[in-house]
Amino acid sequence: MTEKTLLPRQWGKTSAAIYRSNSSKAAIVCFNSERITQILQLANQMNISIPNPVLYRDMLDWKARRGSNALNNIIIDDADIMLSQMFNSNIILLTMTHER
């Protein structure tokens, strides 16, 4: 099931992702390398161990190369920014299905 954290900027979404990454051992997928550094620094400040975050472009390449051996459980941080970069477009609406 996909969990969603829909909150304004600076309301703790990345902290929630770090806690979930620690408990699930799922990697956090980020939109750029600077964000990876920020997440690692925040996790360090929180004294929480997480798997190394992954850049989304590397994740796409890795999935293509490794198929079913790639990371199967991931956490996406700042999905709106990532999708804007992937499509080089402004996202005006993002929908998701809540699995029950």
Side-chain angles (χ1 to χ4, degrees):
M1 175 173 34
T2 302
E3 297 176 35
K4 289 166 267 328
T5 304
L6 303 173
L7 295 168
R9 298 256 176 249
Q10 301 295 310
W11 278 54
K13 296 180 303 297
T14 299
S15 294
I18 289 170
Y19 282 118
R20 188 70 167 108
S21 177
N22 173 265
S23 67
S24 68
K25 305 304 179 212
I28 299 173
V29 180
C30 303
F31 61 90
N32 65 24
S33 57
E34 291 82 18
R35 190 67 179 142
I36 288 174
T37 300
Q38 292 170 347
I39 287 173
L40 288 171
Q41 289 173 344
L42 181 57
N44 188 48
Q45 290 171 3
M46 296 167 68
N47 200 29
I48 295 176
S49 175
I50 61 171
N52 286 331
V54 179
L55 185 62
Y56 83 88
R57 287 186 292 260
D58 295 341
M59 179 72 185
L60 295 175
D61 291 342
W62 193 14
K63 284 288 253 191
R65 287 194 319 268
R66 296 190 178 207
S68 63
N69 292 327
L71 297 171
N72 289 319
N73 294 308
I74 60 171
I75 297 167
I76 298 178
D77 186 57
D78 293 322
D80 55 332
I81 297 171
M82 185 183 308
L83 288 169
S84 289
Q85 288 185 1
M86 290 173 77
F87 294 107
N88 195 28
S89 298
N90 182 40
I91 307 292
I92 61 169
L93 177 68
L94 174 65
T95 67
M96 296 179 70
T97 300
H98 182 264
E99 300 289 330
R100 294 178 190 208

